[in-house]
Amino acid sequence: MASEQTSAEMAAPAAIDGTDVESAPAGIPDEVATERALEAILMIADEPQSVVGLAAGIGRPVADVRRALAALVADYDGVAGTPRRGFELREVGGGWRLYVRAEFDDVVRDVVHTQSPAKLSQAALETLAVIAYKQPISRGAIASIRAVNVDSVVRTLLGRGLITEAFTDSETGAIHYATTDLLLTQLGINSLDELPKISPLLDDGSRGFDDV
Amino acid sequence: MASEQTSAEMAAPAAIDGTDVESAPAGIPDEVATERALEAILMIADEPQSVVGLAAGIGRPVADVRRALAALVADYDGVAGTPRRGFELREVGGGWRLYVRAEFDDVVRDVVHTQSPAKLSQAALETLAVIAYKQPISRGAIASIRAVNVDSVVRTLLGRGLITEAFTDSETGAIHYATTDLLLTQLGINSLDELPKISPLLDDGSRGFDDV
Amino acid sequence: MAPSPEADAQVDAAVASAPDAAPAETTNEDAQRGFRVHLSSFDGPFDLLLSLISKRELDITEIALSAVTDEFLTYLRGLDGEDELEEASEFLVVAVTLLDWKIASLLPQGELVDAEDVALLEARDLLFARLLQYRAFKEASAWFAERLAAESGRHARSVRLEDRFRERTPELRWTTSLDDFAALALLAFTPREIPVVGLDHLHAPLISIREQAAHVVSLLRRGEPVTFRQLIAGADQKGVIVARFLALLELYRHAAVGFEQLEPLGELTVRWTAENWSDENLVNLGADYGQ
């Protein structure tokens, strides 16, 4: 299905190239056309767009898409003499997405009324940290690290879509939890690798605590 | 809300109007700053924005906003050597909004087609259930029940025709949503009275969570 | 994986910076807002106490938790509202961890009465590692809080699909039955979070502090002093012990009980001291904990 779509769309950018060339005397290189097509898709995107998904969408090689995205970031950031736009392109939560540039967040806040959910409690934050660093992890294992019952907090995090049930241990029946891309998005990072490094601390101490 | 900010900033443009050149010590004329702020707002605006609304939002005179909008249209259209963007700024129904440029419609359609899931997500279903049982209900009220931001999910449900905007509270301006006949059809019932009775809040929430 | 030297170094660095110049992160609340402990074996900020314990420069067995608790309750009275809840939450989590540690380190477990017992030392090492871990995650959680707060102010483009694209959305496949739909509604309406900030991790939801307090009160009101050991006799879950401990703290806050411990680690005796106690007081007890 993806291949069919790709071949179908391979024609489109070519056609666009043609029209662009007509209107632009100097001729527009393919890579610029790629940037423009990416811009169009990002305009309707509701969530972060993966490079692979974008490449399939416009029928271009992944490497081209990566280059074009980098060029767009630089373009919007105004690093090469272009205006520094009121918006920016960010890689967050496993994909690319247009954001209002941070310095305009205040201006924008008065115009749109987004409903932000209540802040997470300290308990929820700490539990989230445990899951983020130790995933996949069972509720019993979280509880033994936190030294308290975490059922209701885990439910909160599930309800917020920040964690998900990764798998169920076939022997113990314990559900193991992992974090979601939504968490990455809400943290403003692109992958778990961007979490601060505290890993050396975390590999011991769980020994000997029953994974209830 | 915006009035305080507006009056505070209204002073600045008056002084600036004739003195664009002088007032750009950092090399950025205020006009350009207006364009950037408008860009930021337009980037996240769902509905076409009136010139007056935009002017109030960024605290600039209407005339400045008009000029800046015209400059942005030209900028995105690439008439003055700038790239012709994959999006465009159009005035539709008395307001300004960013749209995908027509020549990219095909690419975008295909992406929309491949990316839109045919089934509703769990989050969308739960939100729909909340609306079904509590209608008419505002987005804020849904968000507080679901403890998550529901803006995007509500948009999906609207787009699917499963809910509709019932009315707007004249005091708070909050839109209240209700379900449509399409939902009744999907559920195979004739009226909302046939929804199974649930007793909200009777459940202590521990059901289904007592494993591990 | 065993704790590496590198890990220790990192902990020490984190811990050592805590008492005075913690850079605006986790540890500052104790150190800067200043709950201080005054004991015969230690005098200084609570966080430093924890630091020393984790660095094993101070023996947990030297610390009378009840004395620390007394001081903390006194300290709390000087705070108001939100600060009080925050600090109480913080303190209780740590207190429960320490208590847990003490129980495992001190109480005879079967035949392991000898403190020199190798197995017991191992258990202490594990608990030690656990306290470190707890602190590490607590520090990480501050980063999470900061990032989440910063990002919640950001605005991503997320707008209604233009009509001309909407027609290309695949037709909806509806697979939810009427009963499933009602079940989803029930799930959605089920409260996910006990609406008390930050205290829901202090109890197992299935154990009510109020119920445990009622049990404790009924034992104490007979008039005879009762030891904590007696109070938790028959408790088959750790959660019950913790709930009774918390209930005692609450009762102490209501000036309904007094404590007596003749020597460090000695028997903790609880005495009923309320002058005019009505069972109505019990109704509100533990309300802070959502129970």
Side-chain angles (χ1 to χ4, degrees):
Chain A
M1 143 144 202
S3 63
E4 191 187 3
Q5 184 207 357
T6 306
S7 62
E9 281 177 20
M10 283 303 266
I16 290 161
D17 272 352
T19 51
D20 271 346
V21 170
E22 263 172 60
S23 61
I28 293 181
D30 274 358
E31 47 192 65
V32 172
T34 303
E35 289 174 36
R36 302 290 83 81
L38 290 175
E39 264 176 348
I41 293 174
L42 291 165
M43 200 52 51
I44 53 102
D46 212 345
E47 47 190 38
Q49 300 289 301
S50 73
V51 174
V52 173
L54 288 168
I58 61 172
R60 295 269 172 175
V62 166
D64 284 7
V65 170
R66 265 190 227 287
R67 255 196 307 275
L69 287 167
L72 280 177
V73 169
D75 180 359
Y76 299 159
D77 284 354
V79 294
T82 52
R84 185 175 157 88
R85 300 284 168 186
F87 48 86
E88 63 177 333
L89 184 54
R90 295 173 70 200
E91 190 178 17
V92 157
W96 293 85
R97 199 171 179 189
L98 287 168
Y99 276 78
V100 169
R101 195 172 289 284
E103 53 249 51
F104 294 100
D105 278 337
D106 289 341
V107 177
V108 164
R109 188 171 307 127
D110 289 341
V111 179
V112 288
H113 312 279
T114 42
Q115 308 284 350
S116 16
K119 275 190 178 171
L120 290 175
S121 68
Q122 181 62 22
L125 284 168
E126 288 175 19
T127 303
L128 190 56
V130 170
I131 297 170
Y133 284 98
K134 301 277 272 182
Q135 60 186 299
I137 183 172
S138 72
R139 210 155 358 137
I142 303 167
S144 83
I145 289 170
R146 301 263 306 121
V148 286
N149 185 302
V150 294
D151 290 2
S152 96
V153 169
V154 164
R155 228 174 298 150
T156 300
L157 296 173
L158 278 172
R160 292 257 186 126
L162 299 175
I163 61 170
T164 183
E165 297 180 358
F167 65 90
T168 303
D169 188 302
S170 57
E171 277 182 25
T172 65
I175 300 167
H176 285 64
Y177 299 92
T179 56
T180 61
D181 283 349
L182 180 65
L183 173 68
L184 298 181
T185 303
Q186 295 197 357
L187 290 172
I189 61 177
N190 188 47
S191 92
L192 292 171
D193 298 340
E194 294 174 45
L195 291 177
K197 295 277 171 289
I198 56 166
S199 48
L201 292 178
L202 306 178
D203 288 323
D204 64 295
S206 55
R207 270 180 319 143
F209 294 100
D210 295 334
D211 190 323
V212 189
Chain B
M1 172 198 72
S3 64
E4 195 185 359
Q5 186 202 358
T6 306
S7 63
E9 287 178 20
M10 281 304 259
I16 286 157
D17 230 337
T19 55
D20 274 341
V21 181
E22 187 191 20
S23 69
I28 300 179
D30 275 324
E31 253 169 48
V32 173
T34 304
E35 287 174 39
R36 300 291 84 82
L38 290 175
E39 246 172 7
I41 294 174
L42 292 165
M43 192 47 62
I44 44 89
D46 217 350
E47 300 297 332
Q49 300 289 303
S50 74
V51 174
V52 173
L54 288 169
I58 62 172
R60 295 272 171 174
V62 167
D64 282 9
V65 170
R66 267 190 225 289
R67 257 198 305 275
L69 286 169
L72 281 178
V73 170
D75 180 359
Y76 299 158
D77 283 353
V79 295
T82 52
R84 186 173 157 86
R85 300 283 167 189
F87 49 85
E88 61 181 338
L89 180 57
R90 290 198 342 237
E91 188 175 17
V92 171
W96 294 84
R97 188 187 194 270
L98 288 170
Y99 293 91
V100 170
R101 192 174 290 285
E103 54 249 52
F104 295 97
D105 278 4
D106 289 343
V107 179
V108 168
R109 276 208 178 93
D110 284 323
V111 171
V112 168
H113 183 72
T114 39
Q115 287 200 354
S116 317
K119 285 180 65 175
L120 289 179
S121 66
Q122 174 81 7
L125 281 169
E126 284 185 29
T127 301
L128 184 58
V130 168
I131 298 170
Y133 279 91
K134 287 274 201 183
Q135 59 187 298
I137 183 171
S138 72
R139 238 178 326 165
I142 304 166
S144 74
I145 291 170
R146 302 266 300 119
V148 287
N149 183 312
V150 295
D151 293 357
S152 136
V153 167
V154 164
R155 204 151 39 225
T156 302
L157 295 173
L158 279 170
R160 287 296 189 176
L162 293 165
I163 61 171
T164 182
E165 297 179 357
F167 66 89
T168 303
D169 187 302
S170 57
E171 275 183 27
T172 64
I175 301 167
H176 284 63
Y177 300 90
T179 55
T180 62
D181 287 348
L182 176 61
L183 175 67
L184 299 182
T185 309
Q186 300 284 17
L187 288 172
I189 56 179
N190 290 315
S191 96
L192 290 170
D193 299 337
E194 294 174 45
L195 284 175
K197 293 280 171 292
I198 60 166
S199 351
L201 314 183
L202 283 187
D203 192 331
D204 66 357
S206 60
R207 263 187 344 142
F209 291 99
D210 48 6
D211 51 316
V212 183
Chain C
M1 189 165 66
S4 64
E6 188 192 357
D8 282 343
Q10 197 162 345
V11 174
D12 284 350
V15 169
S17 68
D20 27 46
E25 294 222 332
T26 46
T27 43
N28 59 359
E29 60 259 50
D30 300 315
Q32 288 169 10
R33 268 195 272 147
F35 166 49
R36 299 177 68 88
V37 184
H38 307 278
L39 303 169
S40 55
S41 53
F42 175 83
D43 190 338
F46 183 56
D47 208 62
L48 180 58
L49 172 69
L50 290 181
S51 306
L52 293 176
I53 292 173
S54 23
K55 285 197 273 186
R56 304 191 209 207
E57 287 171 14
L58 201 62
D59 191 342
I60 177 79
T61 58
E62 305 272 313
I63 306 299
L65 271 181
S66 66
V68 176
T69 304
D70 283 354
E71 292 212 13
F72 184 74
L73 290 174
T74 312
Y75 166 71
L76 268 193
R77 285 192 200 105
L79 299 176
D80 54 347
E82 218 164 294
D83 284 348
E84 179 175 342
L85 277 181
E86 281 279 317
E87 291 225 10
S89 164
E90 168 78 11
F91 175 79
L92 287 174
V93 170
V94 176
V96 168
T97 307
L98 288 175
L99 186 68
D100 200 27
W101 189 1
K102 275 192 97 157
I103 289 170
S105 323
L106 300 171
L107 291 185
Q109 298 172 326
E111 299 85 60
L112 302 183
V113 190
D114 188 355
E116 298 301 313
D117 192 294
V118 178
L120 187 54
L121 284 176
E122 275 180 7
R124 290 185 60 174
D125 283 347
L126 285 171
L127 284 158
F128 163 71
R130 184 160 147 184
L131 184 57
L132 292 189
Q133 223 184 22
Y134 168 79
R135 293 174 62 79
F137 284 123
K138 186 171 167 301
E139 292 196 8
S141 77
W143 182 86
F144 276 72
E146 204 177 282
R147 293 296 317 163
L148 290 171
E151 201 60 26
S152 71
R154 300 301 308 272
H155 297 85
R157 179 166 171 92
S158 171
V159 303
R160 186 177 302 180
L161 204 54
E162 295 168 37
D163 288 341
R164 60 201 161 127
F165 300 129
R166 201 175 279 166
E167 79 213 23
R168 285 303 301 257
T169 314
E171 200 175 333
L172 183 65
R173 267 194 301 129
W174 184 272
T175 54
T176 310
S177 73
L178 188 56
D179 286 340
D180 286 351
F181 190 71
L184 278 168
L186 202 55
L187 186 67
F189 284 116
T190 301
R192 288 181 157 72
E193 195 166 17
I194 296 157
V196 173
V197 178
L199 292 176
D200 50 350
H201 53 308
L202 295 177
H203 61 84
L206 300 178
I207 298 164
S208 156
I209 291 170
R210 197 178 307 131
E211 279 171 28
Q212 296 305 322
H215 172 80
V216 168
V217 168
S218 73
L219 287 178
L220 289 168
R221 286 187 79 178
R222 293 172 191 166
E224 292 295 310
V226 179
T227 66
F228 186 70
R229 199 187 299 273
Q230 286 171 313
L231 282 177
I232 60 170
D236 51 354
Q237 294 176 51
K238 191 164 65 179
V240 172
I241 298 173
V242 172
R244 287 184 192 171
F245 172 70
L246 291 174
L248 274 182
L249 291 181
E250 281 286 292
L251 289 168
Y252 182 81
R253 210 165 89 172
H254 287 80
V257 297
F259 299 112
E260 194 173 272
Q261 193 174 30
L262 294 177
E263 52 180 331
L265 312 179
E267 199 79 79
L268 176 69
T269 308
V270 188
R271 191 185 312 275
W272 188 250
T273 59
E275 286 177 1
N276 39 15
W277 175 269
S278 88
D279 283 340
E280 279 175 28
N281 295 349
L282 209 50
V283 176
N284 293 321
L285 204 70
D288 286 354
Y289 309 100
Q291 291 283 327

